[in-house]
Amino acid sequence: MTTVRQACRHIRSKNAGPFWVTIDLFFDGERNFKKYAESPALGPEALARLYGADASLVKRYAVPSLHMVKVSYPRANAQGGEVERDMHCGQQFVRLLDVELD
Amino acid sequence: MREDVIRILVPVGSLGAGVRADEVRYGIERGAHAIASDAGSTDSGAAYLALGISKNNREAVKRDLKILMKAQADARIPLIIGSCGQAGGDDGLNWTRDIALEVAKELGVTPKIALIYSEQNKDVLKAKNAAGKITPLPPLGPLANDTIDACEHIVAAMGPEPYIAALEAGADIVLGGRTTDTAVLASFALMKGAPAGPSWHAAKVAECGAQCTVNPTRGSGVLISIGADSFQVEPLRTDNHCDPHSVSAHMLYENADPFLLTEPGGVLDVAAAQYSFVGERAVEVTGSIWREMPYTMKLEGAAKGRYQTIMLIGIQDPIILARIDDFHDRMLDALYDRVRNAVGPSAGDFHISLRMYGWNAVSGDRPAPGTPPPREVGVLFVATADTQAMATQIAKACNPYFFHFPLELDKELPSHGFAFSPADIERGPVYEFKLNHVVEVANPMELVRLEWIDLANKGAAQ
């Protein structure tokens, strides 16, 4: 059982404009990148469950040269609304840390 | 490098964040042909566009402008600033204009200043919408006229063309309204005929200043040099450097797509880009591609929502902390009951949230059973209502319950740690971005207004 936290050397999240969030997962080498880049645990359904996003809009990109995977999803609530808790979405990666990749 | 290389000095990621005079001097000694910086962002929220104010304080912007305007006058190279005043609305641009005029007077310089406005008239946008020229971007749907009306201010993000028009007309300084970060930085090179792919990619890499370097906190700016089929980037501080990873990773930052960046009039594709060291401090990038697309401008609109009043307490009592979720739920129920009883129907469709800082305030998620209790929590009370007066009336009605709510109703009332008196703080309205749409234009100047202040020849000002 390997978690995101164990397989990555760095993870960050950020708003990409007021309506999207993007999470960058930098794997700790080629082996883990190749093993987990396509993991369903980082797929649209999983992201939809974790973040309340519309699964059909979730995007995933693998960047082999950086051993990284980017996942992007629309925010459930636009930035800065009545119940805003994380304006820049800089804390949203935390929810992924203990997700099991296999 | 070839003689026809275009060098752009990017002094800082955002005007007002701290330009360094020694870095600017270094960039000019290295042969910079222009100075370009962005001054804004949507990141800090819609309030700045709605209110027409900057996140940065006036003195910080003035300090940065003073260094840059002196460099502009001494080196006789253009100074280009985009998204003036944070949100790039007319108020923000005029605020920056007035600071620039003050600086010019203090420095004794007389630049020709172009002002490029991109705030939008609602009737013009409604006509565009009716003509089918406004298209939604996911996750939003088609634009309703009500949404246009709800916005306090609407801006359209410009491309490089208005900047090129101003520079070709002889501007020493260009102050622009809302513009894509990249267009501001790419405009001079594109005007000089530099290749589009490397010009746009260099601008994207440099948009946050030293963020694309190995030590982003060491120094503020970078120098980008655009050649015939590649570009180079280096920090403006000689004790810092770029490496292929720091440069390639920046394309990922704040971008939903790591390879494609949509801009007015085209898309930058870096999927095939190659990054390599040049010497010890710079990175060269080849393979950046620009593909032309129909010309569109992205709209940003900020609306004012309902009003909030907040209160804050701290709790250290271990008995409460051991049952913090239970405490939260019971207190929230009690506060809603209190408002219904004490304020009644006039409270309208009010909302109360209790955010337990130190426990789960940021996520709102309930921690798993068995999670050890925290040492203390800060509880932020947020009341939202139709008016500021009602939000405050709700907070005042809740005040005794919020500050003294017990875990067990039959025990002595506790006093939670409150920090301020008076305890309620009026936060003003909630501001939200309402638009995620692009507008088609007949040409890049259609929705843009260009004005001039020629300080050397005031009579000729248009």
Side-chain angles (χ1 to χ4, degrees):
Chain A
M1 209 87 87
T2 304
T3 61
V4 167
R5 190 198 298 263
Q6 291 165 334
C8 292
R9 64 175 175 79
H10 181 52
I11 309 169
R12 66 184 182 189
S13 57
K14 182 78 171 69
N15 65 311
F19 299 95
W20 285 79
V21 184
T22 189
I23 304 180
D24 296 344
L25 300 105
F26 294 88
F27 285 88
D28 65 355
E30 188 173 13
R31 191 175 157 273
N32 273 337
F33 169 76
K34 284 192 165 161
K35 195 168 172 189
Y36 300 121
E38 303 297 325
S39 167
L42 302 174
E45 299 300 334
L47 269 284
R49 273 197 304 279
L50 273 176
Y51 295 104
D54 178 344
S56 68
L57 294 175
V58 173
K59 296 171 179 168
R60 166 163 58 177
Y61 307 90
V63 186
S65 62
L66 294 170
H67 300 149
M68 72 85 67
V69 168
K70 178 184 267 297
V71 288
S72 302
Y73 60 91
R75 294 179 63 133
N77 295 296
Q79 181 182 10
E82 290 181 2
V83 291
E84 181 62 73
R85 292 166 181 269
D86 186 13
M87 188 74 71
H88 289 170
C89 299
Q91 302 298 310
Q92 296 304 306
F93 73 94
V94 176
R95 229 175 262 213
L96 268 181
L97 290 175
D98 294 318
V99 164
E100 289 165 358
L101 292 167
D102 58 12
Chain B
M1 269 193 156
R2 295 173 191 78
E3 276 306 298
D4 58 359
V5 167
I6 303 295
R7 295 184 186 87
I8 310 295
L9 192 170
V10 183
V12 68
S14 182
L15 186 75
V19 170
R20 301 179 195 211
D22 56 338
E23 293 193 8
V24 174
R25 201 157 42 239
Y26 172 80
I28 292 196
E29 283 166 8
R30 290 274 288 107
H33 298 103
I35 303 169
S37 174
D38 159 68
S41 170
T42 60
D43 278 8
S44 298
Y48 301 99
L49 177 58
L51 295 168
I53 59 170
S54 175
K55 177 181 78 170
N56 290 312
N57 78 67
R58 193 177 193 281
E59 285 310 307
V61 171
K62 182 175 174 183
R63 185 197 154 280
D64 282 3
L65 263 183
K66 201 162 194 171
I67 295 170
L68 298 177
M69 286 174 63
K70 176 147 190 0
Q72 185 281 317
D74 290 347
R76 307 191 67 79
I77 58 176
L79 169 61
I80 306 161
I81 311 281
S83 298
C84 284
Q86 184 85 24
D90 289 359
D91 290 342
L93 179 49
N94 290 336
W95 181 78
T96 308
R97 172 201 65 197
D98 291 346
I99 299 172
L101 293 176
E102 195 174 297
V103 169
K105 199 168 176 186
E106 288 175 17
L107 290 174
V109 297
T110 56
K112 185 174 176 180
I113 302 173
L115 304 164
I116 316 176
Y117 293 88
S118 70
E119 184 157 338
Q120 299 304 308
N121 177 297
K122 290 180 178 178
D123 292 331
V124 171
L125 289 182
K126 285 177 192 170
K128 281 275 187 196
N129 202 23
K133 301 288 188 189
I134 295 181
T135 311
L137 300 175
L140 296 198
L143 184 57
N145 282 346
D146 286 353
T147 307
I148 294 175
D149 284 329
C151 292
E152 302 284 310
H153 294 282
I154 299 173
V155 291
M158 294 186 278
E161 295 80 3
Y163 288 80
I164 292 171
L167 292 165
E168 284 179 341
D172 298 309
I173 297 176
V174 185
L175 301 177
R178 186 64 175 145
T179 312
T180 74
D181 296 0
T182 25
V184 180
L185 274 48
S187 59
F188 186 89
L190 292 169
M191 177 181 76
K192 290 291 180 188
S199 296
W200 283 101
H201 194 180
K204 171 61 189 170
V205 164
E207 65 166 346
C208 291
Q211 180 116 21
C212 66
T213 68
V214 170
N215 292 298
T217 54
R218 188 182 294 170
S220 298
V222 294
L223 184 73
I224 47 177
S225 306
I226 298 124
D229 51 14
S230 66
F231 74 90
Q232 295 184 7
V233 54
E234 67 170 287
L236 291 173
R237 256 183 75 146
T238 51
D239 60 353
N240 192 4
H241 67 281
C242 291
D243 72 16
H245 183 272
S246 72
V247 173
S248 60
H250 187 71
M251 182 70 191
L252 309 172
Y253 185 68
E254 324 183 291
N255 244 10
D257 186 315
F259 302 121
L260 301 179
L261 185 68
T262 303
E263 292 283 339
V267 61
L268 170 69
D269 182 345
V270 305
Q274 299 286 325
Y275 304 79
S276 56
F277 264 118
V278 180
E280 292 176 349
R281 298 183 53 249
V283 164
E284 182 168 63
V285 183
T286 58
S288 324
I289 294 166
W290 173 258
R291 275 197 288 274
E292 287 196 7
M293 307 252 286
Y295 203 95
T296 59
M297 297 170 82
K298 192 168 177 193
L299 297 172
E300 292 168 357
K304 188 167 80 174
R306 302 200 295 164
Y307 292 77
Q308 295 185 324
T309 297
I310 63 175
M311 301 189 285
L312 178 68
I313 52 171
I315 298 177
Q316 282 194 314
D317 181 346
I319 297 172
I320 292 178
L321 294 179
R323 292 168 55 193
I324 189 71
D325 286 328
D326 187 21
F327 177 79
H328 166 275
D329 294 350
R330 289 214 245 161
M331 187 200 262
L332 190 60
D333 285 347
L335 295 179
Y336 267 96
D337 283 347
R338 167 70 178 165
V339 174
R340 287 188 196 108
N341 293 330
V343 184
S346 64
D349 181 26
F350 68 98
H351 183 266
I352 296 173
S353 84
L354 299 172
R355 308 183 189 181
M356 318 297 273
Y357 282 92
W359 182 238
N360 69 343
V362 179
S363 67
D365 294 346
R366 192 109 319 173
T371 303
R375 231 187 113 253
E376 68 174 55
V377 295
V379 185
L380 182 68
F381 165 101
V382 184
T384 307
D386 290 340
T387 64
Q388 187 72 72
M390 181 49 68
T392 298
Q393 194 183 335
I394 289 168
K396 286 182 190 300
C398 290
N399 179 311
Y401 288 65
F402 183 59
F403 288 96
H404 303 288
F405 192 75
L407 191 58
E408 308 286 353
L409 287 172
D410 56 349
K411 294 270 166 59
E412 182 188 37
L413 290 184
S415 289
H416 306 307
F418 64 101
F420 310 113
S421 176
D424 48 275
I425 303 167
E426 295 191 338
R427 221 191 57 66
V430 170
Y431 294 101
E432 279 186 88
F433 285 109
K434 289 290 181 192
L435 304 180
N436 198 36
H437 299 76
V438 293
V439 57
E440 276 179 57
V441 290
N443 66 71
M445 302 299 288
E446 185 189 351
L447 297 178
V448 173
R449 290 167 290 131
L450 178 58
E451 294 180 12
W452 292 93
I453 298 174
D454 187 350
L455 290 177
N457 188 8
K458 283 183 185 164
Q462 292 165 23

